[in-house]
């Protein structure tokens, strides 16, 4: 790390080493071996490989899984009742939507008729009041016609 001619030598530190304390191994008691006679002697199978070698061994029977409990079949009547209920709810919902749409359309048409009556009534009122205002306030004279009549009268 430092060259030999260097005067700066790193200080030596005391190093403490800790060693783990091992746990004693657990004592395992082996289960007693009880000899059991097999129910039947398994059959020995031999297979001849393509290169001429013969392999002999015991046949392993595949494990059969436990049969699954059969699910009870759903009756057609229950399916029909459920589908009928869903259909009935759909029809009721559609009728409610149709009824509310018809009510909203009726209110809209009523408002349009009311607006038209107010506008038309206002136009009629303006016509009546403006025509009666001219008749009651004085005589309207068309100056050109009067001038023409006067000139014609004197000519």
């Amino acid at each position: 790390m430092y060259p030999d001619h260097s005067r700066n030598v790193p200080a030596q530190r005391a190093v403490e080493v800790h060693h783990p304390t091992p746990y004693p191994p657990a004592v395992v008691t082996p289960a007693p071996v009880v000899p059991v006679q097999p129910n039947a002697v398994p059959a020995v199978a031999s297979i001849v490989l393509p290169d001429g070698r013969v392999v002999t061994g015991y046949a392993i029977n595949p494990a059969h899984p436990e049969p699954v409990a059969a699910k009870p079949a759903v009756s057609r009547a229950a399916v029909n009742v459920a589908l009928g209920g869903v259909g009935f709810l759909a029809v009721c919902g559609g009728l409610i939507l149709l009824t509310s749409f018809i009510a909203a359309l009726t209110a809209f048409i009523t408002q349009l008729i009311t607006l038209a009556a107010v506008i038309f009534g206002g136009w009629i009122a303006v016509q009546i009041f403006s025509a009666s205002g001219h008749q009651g306030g004085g005589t309207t004279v068309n100056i050109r016609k009067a001038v023409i009549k006067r000139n014609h009268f004197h000519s």
Side-chain angles (χ1 to χ4, degrees):
M1 185 165 150
Y2 293 103
D4 292 338
H5 62 279
S6 168
R7 293 184 187 175
N8 297 331
V9 178
Q12 301 245 347
R13 295 185 202 153
V15 178
E16 228 178 285
V17 178
H18 296 281
H19 294 287
T21 306
Y23 289 116
V27 178
V28 179
T29 307
V33 178
V34 178
V36 177
Q37 193 69 15
N39 293 345
V41 177
V44 177
S46 296
I47 299 174
V48 178
L49 298 177
D51 60 355
R53 294 181 293 164
V54 177
V55 178
T56 304
Y58 293 108
I60 300 173
N61 294 331
H64 297 290
E66 291 292 325
V68 179
K71 294 181 181 177
V74 179
S75 68
R76 287 224 180 255
V79 172
N80 290 340
V81 168
L83 290 177
V86 170
F88 178 74
L89 289 176
V91 168
C92 288
L95 287 175
I96 288 173
L97 287 176
L98 180 65
T99 304
S100 62
F101 175 74
I102 290 172
L105 187 63
T106 304
F108 179 68
I109 291 173
T110 304
Q111 288 178 352
L112 285 180
I113 291 172
T114 305
L115 180 65
V118 167
I119 291 174
F120 186 68
W123 182 76
I124 291 176
V126 167
Q127 297 300 319
I128 291 173
F129 290 128
S130 66
S132 65
H134 288 298
Q135 292 174 357
T139 304
T140 303
V141 177
N142 190 342
I143 297 175
R144 288 187 178 175
K145 287 185 179 178
V147 168
I148 290 173
K149 286 182 180 175
R150 189 184 61 190
N151 291 339
H152 187 329
F153 180 71
H154 289 287
S155 60

